[in-house]
Amino acid sequence: GESVGLHLPTLSVQEGDNSIINCAYSNSASDYFIWYKQESGKGPQFIIDIRSNMDKRQGQRVTVLLNKTVKHLSLQIAATQPGDSAVYFCAENPNTGNQFYFGTGTSLTVIP
Amino acid sequence: GAGVSQTPSNKVTEKGKYVELRCDPISGHTALYWYRQSLGQGPEFLIYFQGTGAADDSGLPNDRFFAVRPEGSVSTLKIQRTERGDSAVYLCASSVTGPASPLHFGNGTRLTVT
C-alpha cells in the first residue's frame, strides 16, 4: 500500500505566528496532492492542491511547497488564527490510481 | 451551493444487524467516493464510483460491504452482519471528474456497533 506520513503528529503555535506542517510521501509516481483541514465532528475540508508540475502554489494565507526530489510536501499557514486549530491531512494520488491516500494527520493548536 | 450531504449523522446498531448509509453528492459531480475513518487516523478508501458504476471497489474490506449508485447521483453504502470492528466514521466525497480533481467531503456518518 501507499505510505503517506507526517513528521509531527502535533503542533502548537502562537496566534499570529506562521505554521508549517510537513508531509512525506512514498510513491514517486504521485502527481497530485491535496491538503485538507478537519475540525472535530466534521469532514475534511479542501484547503489547497498542487500538481507535480509545480513546486509552489499559494492561496489565501496558505502556501503549499512540493519537493519531488525528496518526496516532501509542506503547508505553510501565515498569521495563524485560532480558527486554524484543526487536524491537517495531506493526500496523494498516483497517476495510475483512482484513490487518494491520506496521511495520519497533524493536530494544529493555536494558542491565543 | 449545497455541499455533500450524508445521513444519518449518527447510527448506533447492534452486532449482526444490517445498516444503510446514504450520500447525496454535490450536483453535477460525476465521481463519488466512500472512505472510512477510524479515530486518530486518516481516511481510508473504500470505493469509487464514476457515474453509476463502481470504477474501483478495491478498498471494501470484505463481502459484507456493498455500495450502489443506481442513478449516478445518490449513493448508499450497505453493511451486512455488522461487527464491532465496523465502528468508524464513514465519509462520502464527490468530485467534478474523478481522481484528477479535488474531493469534497460530507461530514460523515458515525457508525457505532454495540
Side-chain angles (χ1 to χ4, degrees), chain B residues 3-4 13 15 18-19 41 46 58 71 98 112:
Chain B
V4 176
T13 191
K15 178 177 179 295
Y18 168 82
V19 296
Q41 301 294 318
L46 294 176
S58 62
E71 298 179 357
T112 303

Side-chain angles (χ1 to χ4, degrees), chain B residues 32-105:
Chain B
L32 185 145
Y33 297 77
W34 284 98
Y35 277 76
R36 178 167 70 174
Q37 186 174 28
S38 300
L39 190 63
Q41 301 294 318
E44 293 181 309
F45 171 79
L46 294 176
I47 187 169
Y48 156 57
F49 286 90
Q50 185 58 251
T52 61
D56 185 344
D57 65 357
S58 62
L60 295 178
N62 51 59
D63 61 5
R64 295 187 297 105
F65 288 75
F66 190 71
V68 295
R69 195 186 184 200
E71 298 179 357
S73 178
V74 171
S75 177
T76 304
L77 177 66
K78 308 180 181 190
I79 310 174
Q80 298 177 321
R81 304 182 304 280
T82 51
E83 300 177 357
R84 292 193 180 88
D86 298 335
S87 297
V89 175
Y90 289 81
L91 294 165
C92 178
S94 67
S95 71
V96 175
T97 57
S101 56
L103 306 186
H104 298 276
F105 284 87

Side-chain angles (χ1 to χ4, degrees), chain A residues 35-50:
Chain A
W35 279 101
Y36 285 93
K37 171 187 179 184
Q38 187 173 28
E39 297 174 285
S40 181
K42 296 187 177 181
Q45 176 188 0
F46 172 86
I47 301 173
I48 190 168
D49 58 359
I50 189 168

